[in-house]
Amino acid sequence: MNINAQDIWAKVLAIVQQRIDPQSFRTWFTPIKPLKIEGLALTIQIPNKFFYEWIEEHYVDVLRQILHTLLGAGAKLEYWIPREMPNPQPVVGGSKYKNYGVSKELEKHYGQTPAREIKNPFAIPGIQKLKIDTRLSNDYTFDTFIEGDCNRLARAAGLAVSRRPGSSAFNPLTIQSDTGMGKTHLAQAIGNAIKANFPNKNVLFISAEYFATQFVEAIKSNTVNEFVGFFAHLDALIVDDIQFLAGKSKTQDTFFGIFNALHQNGKQLVFTCDKPFRELQNIEERLMSRFKWGLSADLQLPSSETRLAIVQQKMERDGIDIPHDVAEYISLAVHSNVRELEGVLISLVAESALNQRSIDIELAHELVSRCVETVSTHISVDFVQRFVADYYKLKPNDLIEKGRSKSIVIARHIAMYLSKTLCEMSFSEIGRSFGGRDHSTVMHACQSVKDSIEKDMVFKHSFDHLYARISQLLSN
Ligand code: ADP
Ligand code: MG
């Protein structure tokens, strides 16, 4: 077979693209270039060591799996980092997995046994006693799930379930929220905690969508009995996004049967759903009534303080120093959902690594306006002027007119700096809003505020206070 690196990489990308969100894909995969393929080793060029570490940390499993599928079990991935090293050297893949591609564990998992020989879609092939691939990810745990008013009940119920699966009052436990608020994370955390507390219990995490496709496969291959029978081995079944079952009456029938069998035997059921039960349509009444047996707890949008804690935790976990004002600004500006918040953080880290920029308010603002469509546009320069004037006990006109007393000049510079940071405006537009000053005056003002924040501790302290106040106002 004559294969070249470009073709293989294009196939890899096509699959990766289906599995990760578009923003991460753009950020981490578009800068990669395929270089060569020799035997089963594909060499790719990545921008720098940071990228290498990030990819190793986050995507190595996905890449391994895809390459095994495309090239076979001996597939290897090698990285080439061109610029940063004085003498470019290949880094052979796998800080975490030294013998990339030959791990026995992973061969069992993904490799050698042809798919059609796997009778049971969730069993790990080659293992005698039924041992179930839980489909859980280690990243999603209670430790990494920040607590706030927004999720207290659901989190506590999840913990209770993981301490006494099947025998707590919460069976089934259903977690409900809009998208991007942490349902999947919490449901996975419950599964991981059950596994940690009771290593011998069989736990399975699946999306309702995957359940439905596996069910259809079972019908096609005439193995519905095996499919249903498999679930009897479970001690806990976690089904993500049950709204997906809507309108699929055959799948619902089967699911109903599985639910009853597990529930009657004191096994734990956990579901997530992206809307309240009353808005779910095309789900059979008898199944709906089962869903309502246990507890349904919702996740709300985290407050700006909880969002800040989430930002800080994620940055700390990735070993990245983020200045407090930047973390605060991002957690304030991105108030749609947590997934979007993470998206902005990822771009921030990538942008600063790629273009050697420091992580500061300016960069954060740029990315927030690029990644989050509706943000901040409602903050008007007018609002900023009124706020700053009020804060310093001045009249808004003092900031606009020609007054030159030192305290007025400082307040005016701060107001311009905040307008630049918080409103979507160019230097000239800001100049016009401040009594027709020209753009270089505004630029100079912003620079002088920035310098003072960096160099003058006293100034920084009082600026932080003011910034916290305006942040508070904006989040309400
Ligand atoms: P959903 O399933 O509701 O669409 P996810 O569970 O996929 O949302 O969450 C989106 C992202 O936000 C995930 O990366 C998750 O880790 C993160 N996230 C959500 N809530 C929290 C939280 N309370 N603490 C830490 N991370 C969170
Ligand atoms: Mg989800």
Side-chain angles (χ1 to χ4, degrees), residues 29-263:
F29 285 88
T30 41
I32 297 178
K33 289 199 194 91
L35 291 181
K36 60 176 180 186
I37 183 154
E38 270 172 12
L40 293 179
L42 171 68
T43 306
I44 54 174
Q45 176 181 320
I46 49 179
N48 56 33
K49 189 151 175 293
F50 181 85
F51 255 71
Y52 158 68
E53 280 168 8
W54 191 278
I55 288 189
E56 275 285 295
E57 174 90 17
H58 297 268
Y59 302 114
V60 79
D61 287 330
V62 177
L63 288 173
R64 182 198 341 269
Q65 197 183 346
I66 297 173
L67 282 176
H68 281 192
T69 312
L70 293 176
L71 296 174
K76 276 208 282 186
L77 185 65
E78 295 187 353
Y79 302 98
W80 187 275
I81 303 169
R83 263 173 296 137
E84 286 193 337
M85 297 184 183
N87 300 311
Q89 284 170 5
V91 184
V92 179
S95 58
K96 268 197 300 189
Y97 305 101
K98 287 278 185 308
N99 39 2
Y100 194 93
V102 290
S103 148
K104 288 281 169 279
E105 186 53 18
L106 288 153
E107 261 168 34
K108 270 187 226 146
H109 217 91
Y110 303 121
Q112 319 226 304
T113 323
R116 65 193 135 73
E117 280 181 20
I118 306 172
K119 288 237 171 51
N120 187 317
F122 308 111
I124 299 179
I127 293 182
Q128 294 288 304
K129 179 176 168 292
L130 185 70
K131 188 168 175 234
I132 286 154
D133 173 5
T134 62
R135 302 176 64 85
L136 288 166
S137 144
N138 296 334
D139 293 340
Y140 292 134
T141 61
F142 278 106
D143 285 348
T144 55
F145 191 73
I146 301 279
E147 185 174 358
D149 288 340
C150 54
N151 60 32
R152 214 175 301 283
L153 172 68
R155 192 176 188 282
L159 275 170
V161 159
S162 60
R163 287 194 196 108
R164 301 173 56 218
S167 46
S168 76
F170 314 131
N171 200 14
L173 171 64
T174 308
I175 304 157
Q176 295 177 326
S177 79
D178 284 343
T179 183
M181 301 290 198
K183 292 183 295 297
T184 300
H185 186 144
L186 183 55
Q188 286 255 352
I190 295 170
N192 278 316
I194 296 178
K195 247 349 229 184
N197 295 339
F198 307 95
N200 291 327
K201 285 205 188 289
N202 274 330
V203 177
L204 176 67
F205 176 96
I206 41 168
S207 66
E209 184 173 5
Y210 191 62
F211 177 88
T213 24
Q214 291 299 320
F215 175 61
V216 171
E217 284 299 312
I219 296 177
K220 278 199 215 143
S221 58
N222 226 347
T223 53
V224 172
N225 287 344
E226 278 109 324
F227 176 79
V228 173
F230 160 77
F231 288 88
H233 296 279
L234 296 179
D235 299 295
L237 171 63
I238 305 169
V239 185
D240 202 14
D241 290 321
I242 50 165
Q243 73 279 356
F244 190 83
L245 298 175
K248 302 187 173 55
S249 59
K250 258 190 154 167
T251 311
Q252 285 180 35
D253 266 358
T254 304
F255 191 71
F256 181 74
I258 291 170
F259 180 105
N260 287 337
L262 288 174
H263 199 273

Side-chain angles (χ1 to χ4, degrees), residues 179-402:
T179 183
M181 301 290 198
K183 292 183 295 297
T184 300
H185 186 144
L186 183 55
Q188 286 255 352
I190 295 170
N192 278 316
I194 296 178
K195 247 349 229 184
N197 295 339
F198 307 95
N200 291 327
K201 285 205 188 289
N202 274 330
V203 177
L204 176 67
F205 176 96
I206 41 168
S207 66
E209 184 173 5
Y210 191 62
F211 177 88
T213 24
Q214 291 299 320
F215 175 61
V216 171
E217 284 299 312
I219 296 177
K220 278 199 215 143
S221 58
N222 226 347
T223 53
V224 172
N225 287 344
E226 278 109 324
F227 176 79
V228 173
F230 160 77
F231 288 88
H233 296 279
L234 296 179
D235 299 295
L237 171 63
I238 305 169
V239 185
D240 202 14
D241 290 321
I242 50 165
Q243 73 279 356
F244 190 83
L245 298 175
K248 302 187 173 55
S249 59
K250 258 190 154 167
T251 311
Q252 285 180 35
D253 266 358
T254 304
F255 191 71
F256 181 74
I258 291 170
F259 180 105
N260 287 337
L262 288 174
H263 199 273
Q264 274 159 19
N265 287 305
K267 305 302 170 64
Q268 182 67 47
L269 294 135
V270 177
F271 304 132
T272 76
C273 185
D274 76 354
K275 40 174 92 63
F277 287 143
R278 67 188 130 73
E279 287 173 24
L280 268 183
Q281 280 169 0
N282 298 322
I283 300 258
E284 284 179 51
E285 198 36 54
R286 55 181 188 154
L287 193 51
M288 278 305 288
S289 77
R290 295 297 190 274
F291 291 160
K292 291 175 190 164
W293 274 356
L295 175 77
S296 130
D298 60 2
L299 300 174
Q300 302 286 344
L301 175 70
S303 66
S304 59
E305 286 102 49
T306 308
R307 297 203 295 274
L308 179 59
I310 293 175
V311 168
Q312 283 165 334
Q313 180 218 232
K314 304 232 179 253
M315 294 287 91
E316 199 173 306
R317 189 195 58 196
D318 291 328
I320 288 154
D321 273 337
I322 179 168
H324 187 75
D325 58 339
V326 177
E328 204 165 42
Y329 166 67
I330 292 176
S331 48
L332 217 93
V334 189
H335 42 61
S336 44
N337 66 53
V338 187
R339 187 172 299 124
E340 213 153 65
L341 191 64
E342 279 190 335
V344 171
L345 291 177
I346 289 173
S347 322
L348 186 75
V349 169
E351 180 72 23
S352 100
L354 261 184
N355 298 326
Q356 318 259 315
R357 291 180 61 177
S358 60
I359 297 185
D360 56 18
I361 280 277
E362 217 169 318
L363 179 61
H365 182 242
E366 217 176 287
L367 291 169
V368 165
S369 8
R370 210 186 300 160
C371 305
V372 184
E373 274 165 22
T374 52
V375 93
S376 328
T377 40
H378 61 282
I379 305 173
S380 66
V381 67
D382 214 47
F383 174 86
V384 171
Q385 286 170 344
R386 270 183 288 123
F387 169 81
V388 173
D390 193 51
Y391 188 89
Y392 289 112
K393 310 224 170 342
L394 304 168
K395 293 192 286 305
N397 258 353
D398 292 338
L399 300 176
I400 292 166
E401 287 164 0
K402 293 228 151 36

Side-chain angles (χ1 to χ4, degrees), residues 411-459:
R412 185 183 298 133
H413 285 183
I414 287 178
M416 288 174 170
Y417 177 81
L418 288 177
S419 305
K420 185 67 197 154
T421 323
L422 300 174
C423 316
E424 312 256 331
M425 291 173 81
S426 66
F427 289 124
S428 339
E429 282 168 327
I430 296 172
R432 276 197 293 280
S433 310
F434 281 79
R437 291 175 163 84
D438 72 17
H439 88 282
S440 62
T441 310
V442 181
M443 230 160 82
H444 169 77
C446 291
Q447 191 56 45
S448 102
V449 173
K450 219 175 130 191
D451 288 348
S452 306
I453 293 173
E454 272 162 26
K455 291 177 195 137
D456 178 346
M457 284 310 287
V458 179
F459 182 89

